[in-house]
Amino acid sequence: MSAHPDLSRRAFLGALPAVTAGLAVPAQAAGDADPHWSMLVDTRRCIGCQACTMACAIENASPEGSFRTVVATYAVTAGGKTGLSLLPRLCNHCEEPPCVPVCPVGATFKRKDGVVLVDGDRCVGCAYCVQACPYDARFINHVTGKADKCTFCSHRVEAGLLPACVETCVGGARIFGDLNDAKSQISRRLKAAEGQVRVLKPEAGTVPRVFYIGLDEHLDGRVDGDSAADMMWRPRHAGA
Amino acid sequence: MNAIVEIIGFAREPGWLPWAVQYFFLIGVSTAAFFLSLPGLVWRHPQWRGLSRRALLAALVCGLTAPVALLADLHQPGRFLNFYLYPNAGSWMAWGSFFIPVYLGGLSLFAWLCLRPQFAELGRTDRRLAALYRTLAYGGHDNRSAIMLAAIVAALGAFLVLLYTGMEVMAVRARSLWDSPLLPLVMAVSAFTGGIGMTAFFETLAGSRQAAATLKRWLARTQWASLLLLAAWLVSGLSGAADGAADALAAMRASSGWLLTAAWLLGSTLLTLWLARRPGDALLALALLALHGSWLIRWIVFIGGQSLPKIGATRASYALTLTPDSLLGIVGMIGLCLTLYIVLTSLIPWDEKAPAAGDAS
């Protein structure tokens, strides 16, 4: 893959002064080093518009009712006040992905650039990886009958583009880039937010490569709360 | 104190459907029934003779049906080839794909060797299929060494199948209900509950009650073991000694559905135990209860275990539908078992009078 996915339009945009908080800075790998792609989600900037959810679904042609990413939305009441907490969720592209060792045919693998992918030709659709993922990031695609998940839009990144969810994020809440490049926006933002950066389910030992700023500590795993799911739309059929 | 309501969340549909429940149930029943066939057919204990023959029938019926459920769960059955083309040695499921043929190959060989004298006997009659029986008999020798060897292979396979089916599920730390070192034991013990239940059911169908006392005694033991294991799991969760059990209990808290499930499981286990300890040789109700208990454990572990949220607050509900991967699949598996039972009992008499390995002793 190209180590310099710095297309002219995006390079131009990246060079512009940041006029809006939501301006997407292109993903750039460090000079000679292999990139290690990662994502930082600044939940303070998320407005819960689900544009990322839709962009991902359209870009990756997700089947109806299945999402590679979604913005979980919570009403949190504390001290008599109720506020909204937002938590964009996706595959965490873990350093120690529990989905990889369980795969009976080695169809799930972690690439050198940090992206966890599924080899669709080899996948048997046994859903063992779906079970093993602590983040519920995987599902069986009913069209292909195989495991499906966020790929960090690797096809776009290889073409020098940003993942669809990052590109479309209205508030600039999703920052994608190369952890190996100290000058990348994600590295700078992570350094600047040192001490405030959290990951989901740190106790699982998976070493996620999706980081969060402003993540409510009550929401980083199984949430001890109620769900309005029964009032929501749900996919009607599992086997179509 | 914070109160949280998940307004928008998503719960994944269960990745392992009732096919998985059926597979784990049938293969567990088969392995346990196979072990019950050993005392009569290998060690030739006279009081186990009839029981062991019915146990072998149960092992064959369930063992030959089980892989069909497994293949059906792959969405495209031909994909099973990838298990052998690209095995991943770090995966319990990959190992299972090798253990299953070892067990089923050993079981089939064991059954054939045990049945050879009977095939020879049938070949000497003027039945329409006499020629086929003579071919199957292949001399009709009661070769005890060969039977012992096949039994060892099948026993090794059965042990490995019981091991991998428990470990495969236990290895999934992301599922709180599965994340328990007790789970492989629960699965193995409940497999024996089912194996005894299926053998008792076939005893009833054969009109035999001679082995009722033996079956009831062993069934009572499995129920005690199940109760002990469930109590140990509960204590490990309530005391906080086991993270998985504690998290599962926290996720089940205040759920009337889970309360009902627990009451059902406990009630049916106690009822089975009570019936097993009662005098008398009636087996039908006990056999059905045992099969129910073994299947229920698997339904709770798989379908219930997948309903608990890994992340967020939304539970993944599951309802049976009239689709092939749901209710029709379950009915289909029962139908396949019934078909195999009819075929095997039509071709081979399984009653005490039928000559087979062990008659000479």
Side-chain angles (χ1 to χ4, degrees):
Chain A
M1 70 177 276
S2 166
H4 295 277
D6 187 4
L7 296 190
S8 56
R9 183 173 69 85
R10 284 163 183 80
F12 170 72
L13 286 172
L16 282 176
V19 291
T20 71
L23 187 64
V25 178
Q28 284 185 301
D32 297 327
D34 289 320
H36 197 101
W37 302 118
S38 179
M39 191 179 287
L40 172 65
V41 181
D42 188 342
T43 61
R44 299 167 303 182
R45 291 185 168 195
C46 179
I47 59 169
C49 65
Q50 306 284 351
C52 53
T53 309
M54 295 311 296
C56 173
I58 293 166
E59 176 69 28
N60 296 294
S62 306
E64 181 187 332
S66 298
F67 303 98
R68 292 183 178 188
T69 187
V70 75
V71 180
T73 306
Y74 299 90
V76 180
T77 304
K81 292 182 179 174
T82 299
L84 208 60
S85 279
L86 300 159
L87 177 59
R89 278 169 24 193
L90 64 156
C91 169
N92 283 256
H93 296 274
C94 310
E95 285 301 298
E96 300 291 338
C99 52
V100 171
V102 298
C103 178
V105 295
T108 282
F109 59 99
K110 186 171 176 69
R111 236 166 36 177
K112 220 165 90 176
D113 64 1
V115 181
V116 177
L117 294 175
V118 180
D119 179 348
D121 289 335
R122 196 179 281 196
C123 178
V124 294
C126 68
Y128 203 7
C129 59
V130 174
Q131 306 294 357
C133 175
Y135 306 104
D136 246 356
R138 288 171 171 254
F139 57 96
I140 292 295
N141 184 317
H142 294 309
V143 177
T144 62
K146 294 176 180 183
D148 201 327
K149 66 180 278 295
C150 158
T151 62
F152 269 165
C153 279
S154 62
H155 60 292
R156 287 175 59 92
V157 174
E158 284 165 16
L161 301 170
L162 288 166
C165 59
V166 179
E167 186 91 47
T168 198
C169 181
V170 178
R174 293 186 186 229
I175 298 115
F176 179 81
D178 177 13
L179 280 184
N180 285 347
D181 179 5
K183 292 177 188 164
S184 67
Q185 191 194 14
I186 190 168
S187 296
R188 285 186 282 115
R189 289 287 300 274
L190 282 170
K191 193 174 177 189
E194 217 168 292
Q196 304 169 50
V197 178
R198 300 171 63 95
V199 293
L200 295 177
K201 285 194 166 182
E203 72 282 0
T206 55
V207 195
R209 281 296 170 259
V210 172
F211 304 96
Y212 290 88
I213 297 176
L215 171 62
D216 186 326
E217 63 179 331
H218 298 100
L219 306 180
D220 73 354
R222 187 181 62 75
V223 174
D224 200 5
D226 298 317
S227 169
D230 291 340
M231 293 178 277
M232 297 191 322
W233 173 85
R234 273 171 179 263
R236 283 170 300 169
H237 178 45
Chain B
M1 183 184 167
N2 286 347
I4 302 173
V5 177
E6 190 170 77
I7 301 166
I8 298 176
F10 68 107
R12 299 288 190 201
E13 298 150 356
W16 287 352
L17 300 168
W19 290 123
V21 178
Q22 296 304 101
Y23 166 71
F24 280 82
F25 171 70
L26 290 167
I27 202 72
V29 167
S30 176
T31 51
F34 162 73
F35 283 117
L36 290 177
S37 76
L38 296 178
L41 296 174
V42 176
W43 297 302
R44 312 277 167 105
H45 291 313
Q47 68 272 29
W48 278 78
R49 184 174 173 272
L51 188 158
S52 284
R53 285 173 61 77
R54 251 81 70 185
L56 180 61
L57 176 62
L60 284 170
V61 166
C62 296
L64 296 175
T65 308
V68 178
L70 200 57
L71 289 176
D73 213 10
L74 293 182
H75 308 279
Q76 287 178 8
R79 289 176 178 174
F80 85 93
L81 277 173
N82 281 7
F83 280 94
Y84 303 103
L85 293 173
Y86 313 106
N88 173 16
S91 168
W92 277 103
M93 188 183 280
W95 283 106
S97 66
F98 291 94
F99 297 159
I100 296 166
V102 169
Y103 168 61
L104 290 180
L107 174 68
S108 303
L109 183 64
F110 173 70
W112 174 68
L113 287 167
C114 290
L115 293 170
R116 275 172 78 197
Q118 189 173 354
F119 285 139
E121 188 73 25
L122 291 166
R124 285 192 283 272
T125 63
D126 55 356
R127 286 168 176 246
R128 203 164 39 178
L129 296 174
L132 174 67
Y133 288 125
R134 283 195 293 276
T135 307
L136 285 171
Y138 197 63
H141 305 300
D142 180 15
N143 189 333
R144 291 194 68 170
S145 303
I147 288 174
M148 176 63 83
L149 198 64
I152 290 170
V153 173
L156 180 69
F159 172 76
L160 291 173
V161 164
L162 283 175
L163 177 72
Y164 110 83
T165 46
M167 295 302 292
E168 177 181 278
V169 184
M170 189 197 85
V172 180
R173 296 197 55 210
R175 294 261 177 233
S176 54
L177 192 63
W178 302 357
D179 181 20
S180 167
L182 296 171
L183 189 72
L185 292 173
V186 171
M187 298 286 275
V189 167
S190 58
F192 274 90
T193 302
I196 295 167
M198 191 62 86
T199 305
F201 185 56
F202 285 180
E203 282 281 300
T204 306
L205 291 180
S208 169
R209 295 184 170 193
Q210 288 176 0
T214 307
L215 286 168
K216 287 172 80 170
R217 189 167 62 247
W218 279 97
L219 191 56
R221 287 172 183 163
T222 64
Q223 298 311 287
W224 281 118
S226 295
L227 287 170
L228 278 174
L229 287 168
L230 291 173
W233 181 83
L234 202 61
V235 169
S236 74
L238 291 174
S239 67
D243 291 342
D247 194 53
L249 285 171
M252 292 171 189
R253 199 172 50 207
S255 162
S256 53
W258 275 103
L259 198 63
L260 182 67
T261 302
W264 188 289
L265 178 63
L266 183 65
S268 61
T269 306
L270 289 172
L271 181 61
T272 310
L273 182 62
W274 179 68
L275 279 178
R277 288 169 58 82
R278 279 189 69 191
D281 55 6
L283 278 176
L284 182 60
L286 201 56
L288 294 176
L289 265 173
L291 288 171
H292 158 273
S294 179
W295 190 85
L296 181 65
I297 285 277
R298 280 150 184 78
W299 184 267
I300 292 171
V301 167
F302 290 110
I303 304 300
Q306 292 178 92
S307 77
L308 299 176
K310 292 178 183 172
I311 197 159
T314 307
R315 293 168 199 273
S317 61
Y318 182 80
L320 284 169
T321 54
L322 273 175
T323 51
D325 58 9
S326 189
L327 200 56
L328 292 184
I330 296 172
V331 174
M333 287 297 102
I334 295 170
L336 190 51
C337 280
L338 183 64
T339 306
L340 278 170
Y341 177 83
I342 290 169
V343 169
L344 287 172
T345 52
S346 300
L347 291 175
I348 307 162
W350 295 84
D351 55 41
E352 268 85 352
K353 290 170 190 163
D359 284 0
S361 59

